Amino acid sequence: MTRIKHDFQAVEIHTDEGKVFHADAIIITVPLGVLKANLIKFDPKLPDWKEAAISDLGAGNENKIALFFDSVCWPNVEFLGVVAPTSYGCSYFLNVHKATGHPVLMYMPAGSLADDLEKLSDEAAASFAISQLKKILPHSAEPVSFHTIFYPLFSFSTW
């Protein structure tokens, strides 16, 4: 999609291949980076307040490493946090068991720590997550398996 032209009665969606689609209305969901790079031209242009909101938003990186256990070996809380002297070392575990009934903790590092974990093998990243869990719960069981999910996940306001 390269251009969206609309008025009160119709919408035209122009594609990279030169095709034009017509609709009564559309809902557009694109990554923030697409909007920030102005890859889609809006006609008429977006209101100033929307352009300002797009400009003020930033994107960050929050990754996930799911740790699967035979049984729950942690307190019945929503989150377990890792607190460190710098933001680089801070992260948290989401207690997936509370929502699903399955003994799973989701390790969620963010920022440059998440960037650095992406450079590791999946096994090394999972090992790091387990080491962080052991800082909180030294006597926790070892997970039986893991799954890594590395991709940009969240947006935040920079104001």
Side-chain angles (χ1 to χ4, degrees), residues 73-91:
C73 59
W74 54 86
N76 188 26
V77 295
E78 283 78 16
F79 300 99
L80 298 166
V82 179
V83 180
T86 67
S87 61
Y88 181 84
C90 295
S91 54

Side-chain angles (χ1 to χ4, degrees), residues 50-125:
K50 282 188 183 180
E51 288 185 351
I54 291 166
S55 176
D56 287 346
L57 288 173
N61 195 11
E62 181 178 59
N63 289 319
K64 299 177 183 177
I65 301 172
L67 302 175
F68 300 88
F69 294 83
D70 281 329
S71 61
V72 174
C73 59
W74 54 86
N76 188 26
V77 295
E78 283 78 16
F79 300 99
L80 298 166
V82 179
V83 180
T86 67
S87 61
Y88 181 84
C90 295
S91 54
Y92 66 96
F93 289 88
L94 174 64
N95 182 2
V96 178
H97 180 261
K98 284 190 73 100
T100 67
H102 298 285
V104 178
L105 285 175
M106 186 77 68
Y107 179 61
M108 302 181 74
S112 53
L113 175 58
D115 294 339
D116 287 347
L117 287 176
E118 287 181 15
K119 297 172 188 168
L120 301 177
S121 68
D122 287 352
E123 292 77 14

